Structures are given as C-alpha cells and as structure tokens.
Amino acid sequence: MNRRSSEFLDAAVAIGDTFCTQAFWDSSGSLCNWMGRTANEVSQRGEALTPTSAALEAELYGGSAGVGLFLAELGAFTGDDRHRRTAVGAMRRSFRHLELHPRKGVSSLSFFRGDLGVAFAARRVSRLLGAPELDAPVAEILGRVANAVGEPHDLDVIGGNAGAIPALVALDHVRPADECRKLAIILGDQMLRSGRQEGAVWTWNPDETSGPEMASEPLAGLAHGASGMGLALFELHAATGRSEFLDAARGAFAYEDALFDSRQGNWPDLRRFERFEVGRAETGFAVAWCHGAPGIALARLRASVLDPARADEHLATARTAIDTTLRGIDKRLALATADTSLCTDLPGLRRSS
C-alpha cells in the first residue's frame, strides 16, 4: 500500500470509528442510529442555513442504511468488529424504521431515498459481513418496490427509474425467476416511452424526470439529468442486449454534450434557481456529484466499460470532467468553509465569468 492509499484508509477508519463512538443503541443492543443534519435547514437557495438536527431516516442517501453500508465496506477491509457490529445494527434499525414509519411522498422505487436502497444496502452488508439474517426482509421490501411501478414516480437517479435500474440489475440474483431483471426492463421501457427523440438526441420532460419544481428544461448531470438517465440505459443494454436501450443511452449523452461550455470546461446547471447580479441572469456551473463535472465523470467512466464501441469518446469526456473537478476541489479547499462531501456544490464555480 502506497502512502496516499494509507492516508485514505486512515481517514476512512477515523470516520468509521467516529460513527461507532457516536451511535445510539437500543436497550437490546441490536439496533443503532445517529443524529444528523436534515434537509429542513435549507429553505431557499442562497439563504442562510437554519441548523437543524434529527434522528437519521432509514434511507441510503441520508440515513442509517447509508451509514451501515459504509461501515460494512470498511469492516470487510479492516476486519474491525466495531465496524461490522455497528453496520449490522444500522441495517436492522433501517428495517425497523421502514416497518413502523413507511416513507410518505417518496416512491419505494427510489434507490437513494426509498425502500429499494435499503434492500440493496442490506444485501451488500449481508454478503460483505456474512450476516444472512439481513436477507429475510429483502424479499418483502422488493415486493413493495414492484408494487410501486404502477404508482406515480420520477424518472431520475434520485427519485425513480434511472436510480432503480442499476440496483435492480445488481440484485437480479436475489429473487427467483429473474424478477428484478424483469422489473428493471419494465422501468427501462417506461423511460423509452417517456423520452423524446430528435435525430440522435434523447431528452425527457423535466417535470416527469424530477418533478415540476426542479427545472423548465432537461438537465445535465448525474442526479437529475442526462448522465443519470443515459447511464441507467447503458446498464440495461448491457444486461439485455436490446439495441433501443443503447440508442437512447447514447442519445442522452448527446444532449448533454451539446450543453458543454468549453470556456468553463463544465456543463451548465439549469435548475430553477435565481441567479441575478446587477439585474442580469447568469448561468451556474456546479461542481458536485449531483450536478456538474464530478457526476458526469463517473457516468462517462462507467459508460466506457458498458459501451466499448465508443469507449474512447466516453473516456475523453471523462478526462475533461475530471480536470474540472480537480480544479474545483483546489478552489474549494482554499475557502475557510471547505466542505468536500460528495453532494456539495462548490460555490466558487457556480457562476459564469
């Protein structure tokens, strides 16, 4: 292990140890959770935060399932019993919370905020740590996911189809008769029916993709935009061989490529946020996993594996996005309020010059 890798591992262990120390356990010593910041502290973009804390939800994105998955990955690497025990406790708590407090206003299909992410995390933790007791609730959770297909839901990575498809492909072996794979194909067909094709370009109505409050035109990026939509379809093509999924995936990337700003080395953030300076509207450029270069880099790197015929094209775009990301990190770390968490915009790069 080289010095840089050792530094990364040391940092991960320090984070994991903090989670273990700060966990709140129930009286039986089998369930654990944490207090954390919530999305309620953000009212409108650009306004001051109102510090707010609460017990974590069950979800993968901001809840105990996500913490449990991190600790399991860490524990499988380090062999530390504290990491392993706390990971299992976090997953048990996620199951209990879903049972007692079903999510309202969030589709079970959502990988990051719904039931599917908990099922995926539980299966991964079970395999990493040899905890088969976590497998039993997964089938029931996936049943709720299947029932949600016919209910209203978003199409993007965070809320619906584009996030669910890769997870379901990965979970294909969990249920008999290829049920997860069949469900992924149903969701992919929904995306094809909802999409709009103009030549080689594919786009999706932003209201259907992420809800009416997000944007007035199709977005770039991973969480709610073209990268996430395209990547899900690349995964589905790799799993099925169906050419229509490949064509739509390439078409999503073609739309995103057309938005690229060579001066910024980035893709514009087209969300519905007010950006006015001296009465002039500005285009923003985010540098985060969810919007902008970092997420796009991840999508293109994966696409280079799934779409080998265009691997060079995907890798070239990924290199550009990585360069922009590294510059953004350097600028962010120079700020007194530096925060390099995965889904945090870098304020210094939000406006065009």
Side-chain angles (χ1 to χ4, degrees), residues 215-296:
S216 57
E217 56 188 304
L219 297 173
L222 185 61
H224 306 287
S227 272
M229 303 292 278
L231 183 57
L233 293 167
F234 276 125
E235 294 282 2
L236 201 47
H237 170 259
T240 66
R242 285 177 50 180
S243 60
E244 57 266 46
F245 292 138
L246 178 62
D247 292 341
R250 288 173 172 174
F253 280 15
Y255 169 75
E256 192 168 67
D257 290 342
L259 295 176
F260 179 70
D261 187 312
S262 58
R263 184 175 59 171
Q264 293 286 334
N266 204 350
W267 294 256
D269 183 351
L270 300 174
R271 286 175 289 176
R272 277 178 172 154
F273 294 132
E274 296 298 325
R275 299 187 185 90
F276 295 99
E277 184 178 33
V278 196
R280 181 172 62 87
E282 292 189 295
T283 299
F285 291 87
V287 183
W289 169 87
C290 41
H291 296 275
I296 291 172

Side-chain angles (χ1 to χ4, degrees), residues 40-43 48-52:
N40 295 330
E41 63 188 33
V42 181
S43 54
L49 299 180
T50 302
T52 307

Side-chain angles (χ1 to χ4, degrees), residues 28-89:
S28 70
S30 61
L31 313 177
C32 67
N33 196 27
W34 294 264
M35 296 293 291
R37 294 170 64 177
T38 79
N40 295 330
E41 63 188 33
V42 181
S43 54
Q44 291 185 356
R45 191 167 188 85
E47 293 186 358
L49 299 180
T50 302
T52 307
S53 62
L56 299 189
E57 297 283 349
E59 66 188 44
L60 183 67
Y61 185 85
S64 49
V67 178
L69 180 57
F70 163 72
L71 289 171
E73 296 284 355
L74 182 63
F77 194 87
T78 65
D80 191 315
D81 286 339
R82 297 171 302 161
H83 302 153
R84 298 166 67 91
R85 174 175 175 267
T86 309
V88 174

Side-chain angles (χ1 to χ4, degrees), residues 75-116:
F77 194 87
T78 65
D80 191 315
D81 286 339
R82 297 171 302 161
H83 302 153
R84 298 166 67 91
R85 174 175 175 267
T86 309
V88 174
M91 292 312 311
R92 288 172 175 160
R93 184 268 172 180
S94 288
F95 291 149
R96 177 69 62 83
H97 192 77
L98 285 182
E99 178 184 350
L100 298 178
H101 307 283
R103 296 298 303 272
K104 296 181 180 180
V106 177
S107 173
S108 292
L109 283 170
S110 173
F111 177 65
F112 286 97
R113 301 188 60 219
D115 292 7
L116 178 56

Side-chain angles (χ1 to χ4, degrees), residues 51-237:
T52 307
S53 62
L56 299 189
E57 297 283 349
E59 66 188 44
L60 183 67
Y61 185 85
S64 49
V67 178
L69 180 57
F70 163 72
L71 289 171
E73 296 284 355
L74 182 63
F77 194 87
T78 65
D80 191 315
D81 286 339
R82 297 171 302 161
H83 302 153
R84 298 166 67 91
R85 174 175 175 267
T86 309
V88 174
M91 292 312 311
R92 288 172 175 160
R93 184 268 172 180
S94 288
F95 291 149
R96 177 69 62 83
H97 192 77
L98 285 182
E99 178 184 350
L100 298 178
H101 307 283
R103 296 298 303 272
K104 296 181 180 180
V106 177
S107 173
S108 292
L109 283 170
S110 173
F111 177 65
F112 286 97
R113 301 188 60 219
D115 292 7
L116 178 56
V118 177
F120 179 90
R123 184 67 175 180
R124 178 68 176 163
V125 173
S126 172
R127 292 297 171 267
L128 285 169
L129 304 184
E133 69 271 21
L134 298 179
D135 291 338
V138 171
E140 179 182 349
I141 292 174
L142 289 175
R144 293 199 295 271
V145 172
N147 291 336
V149 173
E151 300 170 354
H153 59 270
D154 294 335
L155 297 175
D156 63 16
V157 163
I158 295 296
N161 298 46
I165 287 170
L168 289 167
V169 169
L171 286 169
D172 182 35
H173 60 286
V174 174
R175 306 186 77 194
D178 295 327
E179 290 183 41
C180 287
R181 181 174 181 273
K182 290 178 181 177
L183 182 55
I185 293 171
I186 291 172
L187 295 176
D189 286 336
Q190 284 183 351
M191 293 179 68
L192 294 180
R193 290 194 299 271
S194 300
R196 178 182 179 184
Q197 183 180 10
E198 294 185 7
V201 173
W202 276 73
T203 57
W204 285 263
N205 184 309
D207 288 355
E208 296 181 20
T209 302
S210 306
E213 301 301 320
M214 182 67 70
S216 57
E217 56 188 304
L219 297 173
L222 185 61
H224 306 287
S227 272
M229 303 292 278
L231 183 57
L233 293 167
F234 276 125
E235 294 282 2
L236 201 47
H237 170 259

